[in-house]
């Protein structure tokens, strides 16, 4: 793209506070290595990723697009004396610039989606009316936030920093304040109820300006300009003329009412319809107060904005579906009720008296990916008997137990835990087998052997079978003892046996590679140590 080359390199600087740009951008080592030239060395996914990086890199150094925007004001005087005004807009790309990188795959004769040209017009020209079509327009609510638009909003408000944006989004999703629907971040009732408590009782802490100032203070700490301990003491315990967080919470926590989300009033009875949070964090509908109040479950995928009076009444008037039973609890003889909230679990059926007294039910964990409806009664009996104590560890005299949790089956001995791939092994696992698993390292990653790009078998002069493999720094030839990187320009699929043996021989004669020493010992210790502020953020 010679005509797109600027006079001097384009330099980009971050406009975000304390961006902490600790590393180079990801870019190709050589811009001349076009995606189509390296495609034969890469998998389909790798080639797509490389193409994306290459296009972005090239586009960032190309001349900008030049666009001609035109507007045409067209007025019409009607016979009744009224006046109408119409506006037409057009856009013509005079020089495509960096857009050429992203438009290269388009057919030359296809209409450019970026352009909308107007015909040549002059002031005072009369135009012919071809047709008039009345179009209705309905105002749409603002689009929901996505990860990208939320980060943009945080930048505008001065909240968070580039190194903390990902963790901010992760926290609000993991804690159930929002759920992801495609790319959209949909707020939950938990978020609304939490905001009611915070905004109604800790307004000074919820102010966006307060949060922005806090980030600036943390910037000063990360740069060594302020003391972290002094800031924490002031924030949590307060100062002479300023109350800290602890004092504010102690003063107000008893006056904080239980939060409710008001939907509206029943048009027939005038009773309030509201959403509350259950003990397990799930929302439920309530209409009325006292003895006349009724309840209904709120679907997990129903957003607060979509809960209208009509929808609430529909949920309240629905006949509750009978609970599905999948078996019998072996200890009580009661039905095992199937429940599903972010995964299956079982609940032992309660009597009407126990429900009225709000007695806590018995819950049985179900391993992830297991549908309880497919289990036999014997398997259900064993699942209900977990956790199972297998024996006692003779080394620490602590019990060894087989348990099933949120993330699957595992063995537990004191503070030691090890994952077990199949929960059914709990029926037959012996103490020696359990102790053997507990003795293994916590994190074991089985590294698959790389597949060969080409194999020559056993060749004369080689230590073992000769293969061409794909390595971290490119393709290389190996005989099991010596590794020789293939020079640039040699296709790993076209190399012959003689060339492979020659590369291995040259590598053996050259000896092992000498790695440069990264760190040198200081010749003389300094008497004073420079103090630096501890950074609160680390760039990835």
């Amino acid at each position: 793209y010679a005509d797109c080359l600027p006079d001097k390199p384009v330099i980009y600087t971050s406009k975000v506070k304390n961006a902490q740009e600790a590393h180079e951008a990801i870019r190709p080592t050589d811009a001349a290595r076009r995606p189509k030239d390296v495609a034969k060395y890469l998998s389909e996914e790798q080639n797509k990723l490389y193409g994306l990086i290459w296009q972005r890199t090239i586009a960032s150094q190309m001349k900008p697009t030049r666009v001609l925007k035109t507007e045409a004001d067209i007025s019409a005087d009607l016979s009744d004396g009224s006046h109408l005004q119409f506006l037409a807009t057009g856009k013509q790309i005079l020089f495509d610039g960096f857009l050429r990188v992203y438009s290269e795959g388009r057919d030359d004769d296809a209409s450019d989606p970026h352009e909308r040209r107007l015909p040549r017009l002059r002031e005072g020209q009369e135009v012919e009316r071809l047709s008039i079509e009345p179009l209705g327009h309905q105002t749409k609510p603002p689009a929901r936030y996505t990860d990208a638009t939320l980060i943009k909003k945080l930048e505008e408000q001065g909240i968070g920093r580039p190194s903390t944006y990902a963790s901010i989004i992760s926290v609000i999703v993991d804690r159930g304040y929002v759920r992801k629907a495609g790319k959209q971040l949909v707020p939950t009732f938990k978020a609304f109820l939490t905001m009611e408590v915070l905004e109604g009782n800790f307004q000074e802490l919820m102010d966006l300006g307060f949060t922005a100032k806090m980030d600036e203070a943390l910037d000063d700490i990360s740069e060594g300009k302020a003391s972290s301990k002094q800031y924490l003491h002031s924030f949590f315990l307060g100062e002479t003329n300023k109350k800290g967080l602890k004092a504010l919470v102690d003063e107000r926590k008893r006056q904080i009412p239980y939060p409710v989300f008001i939907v509206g009033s029943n048009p027939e009875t005038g009773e309030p319809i509201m959403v509350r949070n259950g003990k397990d964090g799930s929302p439920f509908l309530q209409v009325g107060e006292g003895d006349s109040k009724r309840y209904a479950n709120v679907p997990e995928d129903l957003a607060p904005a979509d809960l209208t009076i009509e929808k609430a009444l529909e949920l309240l008037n629905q006949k509750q579906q009978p609970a599905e039973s999948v078996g019998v609890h072996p200890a009580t003889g009661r039905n095992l009720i199937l429940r599903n909230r972010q995964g299956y679990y079982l609940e032992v059926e309660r009597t009407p008296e126990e429900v009225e007294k709000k007695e806590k039910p018995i819950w049985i964990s179900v391993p992830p990916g297991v549908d309880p409806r497919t289990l036999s009664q014997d398997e259900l009996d064993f699942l209900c008997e977990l956790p199972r104590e297998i024996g006692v560890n003779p080394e620490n005299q602590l019990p060894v137990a087989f348990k099933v949790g949120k993330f699957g089956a595992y063995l537990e001995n004191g503070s030691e835990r090890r994952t077990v791939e199949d929960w059914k092994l709990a029926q037959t696992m012996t103490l020696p087998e359990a102790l053997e698993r507990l003795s293994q390292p916590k994190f074991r990653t089985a590294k698959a052997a790389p597949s060969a790009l080409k194999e020559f078998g056993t060749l004369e002069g080689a230590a073992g079978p000769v293969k061409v493999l794909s390595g971290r720094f490119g393709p290389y030839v190996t005989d099991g003892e010596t590794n020789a990187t293939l020079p640039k320009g040699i296709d790993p699929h076209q190399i012959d046996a003689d060339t492979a043996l020659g590369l291995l021989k040259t590598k053996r004669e050259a000896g092992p590679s000498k790695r440069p020493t990264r760190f040198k010992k200081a010749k003389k210790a300094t008497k004073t140590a420079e103090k630096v502020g501890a950074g609160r953020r680390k760039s990835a």
Side-chain angles (χ1 to χ4, degrees), residues 199-431:
E199 289 187 336
N201 301 277
F202 301 97
Q203 181 60 44
E204 63 269 46
L205 301 179
M206 296 305 294
D207 180 64
L208 293 177
F210 170 82
T211 310
K213 288 180 181 178
M214 175 186 281
D215 273 305
E216 291 175 1
L218 295 175
D219 286 341
D220 292 339
I221 293 171
S222 70
E223 294 168 6
K225 298 177 182 178
S227 168
S228 59
K229 291 183 178 179
Q230 183 180 349
Y231 178 79
L232 283 173
H233 186 279
S234 172
F235 177 77
F236 189 70
L237 298 177
E239 298 173 347
T240 306
N241 58 345
K242 174 188 170 186
K243 291 182 180 179
L245 178 62
K246 185 177 185 301
L248 292 175
V249 173
D250 290 342
E251 280 182 9
R252 304 173 187 178
K253 63 182 179 182
R254 296 189 181 278
Q255 286 78 39
I256 297 175
Y258 197 80
V260 295
F261 178 88
I262 302 298
V263 181
S265 299
N266 189 330
E268 296 180 1
T269 63
E271 294 175 308
I273 301 175
M274 62 194 77
V275 176
R276 294 184 181 274
N277 250 11
K279 290 183 179 180
D280 61 349
S282 58
F284 64 90
L285 267 173
Q286 176 185 323
V287 59
E289 296 286 354
D291 297 335
S292 63
K293 59 187 176 185
R294 292 182 293 125
Y295 303 104
N297 292 327
V298 177
E300 289 184 5
D301 57 351
L302 181 63
D306 299 329
L307 182 58
T308 60
I309 294 289
E310 294 75 18
K311 182 64 176 178
L313 291 173
E314 178 187 334
L315 292 170
L316 287 162
N317 294 328
Q318 278 181 354
K319 289 185 178 179
Q320 192 167 359
Q321 295 294 328
E324 182 180 358
S325 173
V326 296
V328 177
H329 187 242
T332 63
R334 299 182 185 180
N335 290 330
L336 288 171
I337 307 302
L338 182 64
R339 302 293 189 198
N340 187 358
R341 184 170 296 279
Q342 297 179 346
Y344 287 119
Y345 67 96
L346 300 176
E347 179 182 306
V348 178
E349 188 176 29
R350 293 179 291 171
T351 64
E353 292 77 19
E354 289 172 340
V355 174
E356 182 68 24
K357 293 179 182 178
K358 297 183 178 179
E359 291 187 12
K360 186 178 179 180
I362 300 173
W363 290 313
I364 295 98
S365 297
V366 176
V370 174
D371 187 344
R373 291 169 292 198
T374 64
L375 300 179
S376 65
Q377 184 60 51
D378 290 339
E379 290 172 328
L380 288 171
D381 290 348
F382 184 75
L383 197 61
C384 293
E385 292 170 1
L386 293 177
R388 174 202 168 202
E389 186 173 323
I390 299 176
V392 177
N393 188 340
E395 293 184 4
N396 56 22
Q397 297 303 312
L398 295 175
V400 177
F402 195 109
K403 298 183 176 182
V404 170
K406 180 180 179 181
F407 302 105
Y410 64 96
L411 286 169
E412 183 179 77
N413 176 235
S415 60
E416 291 292 326
R417 291 180 177 85
R418 296 295 185 274
T419 301
V420 180
E421 63 278 2
D422 186 0
W423 70 275
K424 294 181 181 179
L425 291 175
Q427 301 180 58
T428 57
M429 184 172 288
T430 62
L431 181 60

Side-chain angles (χ1 to χ4, degrees), residues 23 190 194 365 425 448 472 530 538:
H23 56 74
K190 184 178 182 180
T194 303
S365 297
L425 291 175
R472 180 180 176 187
E530 181 183 359
K538 294 180 180 179

Side-chain angles (χ1 to χ4, degrees), residues 86-254:
F86 299 93
L87 176 68
T89 59
K91 182 173 72 171
Q92 180 182 354
I93 297 176
L94 302 179
F95 178 69
D96 50 7
F98 70 87
L99 282 179
R100 197 179 307 175
V101 174
Y102 297 108
S103 304
E104 207 171 40
R106 218 171 10 90
D107 295 334
D108 293 335
D109 58 347
S111 59
D112 195 327
H114 300 288
E115 292 194 357
R116 185 168 178 256
R117 301 190 185 190
L118 292 180
R120 290 187 175 274
L121 300 170
R122 66 178 186 277
E123 188 174 355
Q125 177 182 349
E126 289 189 3
V127 294
E128 180 184 356
R129 173 178 59 82
L130 298 178
S131 65
I132 295 178
E133 296 180 10
L135 298 177
H137 177 73
Q138 187 175 4
T139 304
K140 295 182 180 179
R144 296 194 188 277
Y145 281 112
T146 63
D147 288 6
T149 57
L150 180 57
I151 289 173
K152 184 178 180 181
K153 189 67 175 179
L154 291 172
E155 289 178 352
E156 292 174 359
Q157 299 289 347
I159 297 173
R161 295 295 181 263
S163 54
T164 62
Y165 292 143
S167 62
I168 289 173
I169 294 174
S170 175
V171 165
I172 62 175
V173 173
D174 293 344
R175 295 186 182 176
Y177 296 122
V178 299
R179 62 178 176 83
K180 287 200 170 185
K183 292 184 177 181
Q184 293 184 333
L185 297 172
V186 183
T188 63
F189 287 101
K190 184 178 182 180
F192 277 80
L193 296 172
T194 303
M195 288 304 299
E196 181 183 340
V197 171
L198 295 176
E199 289 187 336
N201 301 277
F202 301 97
Q203 181 60 44
E204 63 269 46
L205 301 179
M206 296 305 294
D207 180 64
L208 293 177
F210 170 82
T211 310
K213 288 180 181 178
M214 175 186 281
D215 273 305
E216 291 175 1
L218 295 175
D219 286 341
D220 292 339
I221 293 171
S222 70
E223 294 168 6
K225 298 177 182 178
S227 168
S228 59
K229 291 183 178 179
Q230 183 180 349
Y231 178 79
L232 283 173
H233 186 279
S234 172
F235 177 77
F236 189 70
L237 298 177
E239 298 173 347
T240 306
N241 58 345
K242 174 188 170 186
K243 291 182 180 179
L245 178 62
K246 185 177 185 301
L248 292 175
V249 173
D250 290 342
E251 280 182 9
R252 304 173 187 178
K253 63 182 179 182
R254 296 189 181 278

